[in-house]
Amino acid sequence: QVQLVESGGGLVQPGGSLRLSCRASGFTFSSYAIMWYRQAPGRERELVAFITSAGAVANYLDSVKGRFTCSRDNAKNTAYLQMNTLKPEDTAVYYCNIRSGSYRYWGQGTQVIVSS
């Protein structure tokens, strides 16, 4: 069964950094793009960034460009989101996601809190 498990969240001060991990199992990891979403309290879930099966990356949100970087290690079935220069508005639960035909698979999320 497809499983996605996020980790690496926590409490950091503004300007700090975190690296989130998404460990995958139950499918051919290298064949899929990995999307990173986040959802802040009272807000809709939004696409943050993604990395294709070929390793091409994109930051979807203008607000994270230059600060967030996606990567993947296919040998470890793991994708990463490096987050630098964190801001309070980055506070959210972060999720990884894959799309397979008509199906969407989500991890349980990992919480990121950026606060003084």
Side-chain angles (χ1 to χ4, degrees), residues 23-97:
R23 186 175 68 254
S25 62
F27 64 99
T28 304
F29 178 79
S30 61
S31 298
Y32 290 84
I34 305 295
M35 281 72 73
W36 286 96
Y37 288 78
R38 69 185 184 188
Q39 187 167 25
R43 304 280 290 180
E44 294 185 1
R45 189 172 299 185
E46 59 184 353
L47 178 64
V48 177
F50 62 89
I51 181 167
T52 72
S53 60
V57 299
N59 287 329
Y60 186 82
L61 292 180
D62 287 342
S63 62
V64 309
K65 291 180 179 178
R67 299 190 297 119
F68 289 13
T69 303
C70 295
S71 62
R72 66 191 299 159
D73 186 339
N74 289 340
K76 297 181 179 179
N77 282 3
T78 302
Y80 304 95
L81 182 66
Q82 178 68 45
M83 305 186 297
N84 297 326
T85 319
L86 284 161
K87 302 176 180 180
E89 52 263 42
D90 296 320
T91 296
V93 177
Y94 285 73
Y95 301 87
C96 60
N97 160 268

Side-chain angles (χ1 to χ4, degrees), residues 2 4 35 37 96-107:
V2 171
L4 300 170
M35 281 72 73
Y37 288 78
C96 60
N97 160 268
I98 65 167
R99 173 186 176 183
S100 180
S102 63
Y103 297 98
R104 305 290 184 270
Y105 298 95
W106 299 89

Side-chain angles (χ1 to χ4, degrees), residues 8-10 12 18 20 83 86 90-94 110-114:
V12 297
L18 286 172
L20 307 184
M83 305 186 297
L86 284 161
D90 296 320
T91 296
V93 177
Y94 285 73
T110 186
Q111 187 174 41
V112 172
I113 300 175
V114 185

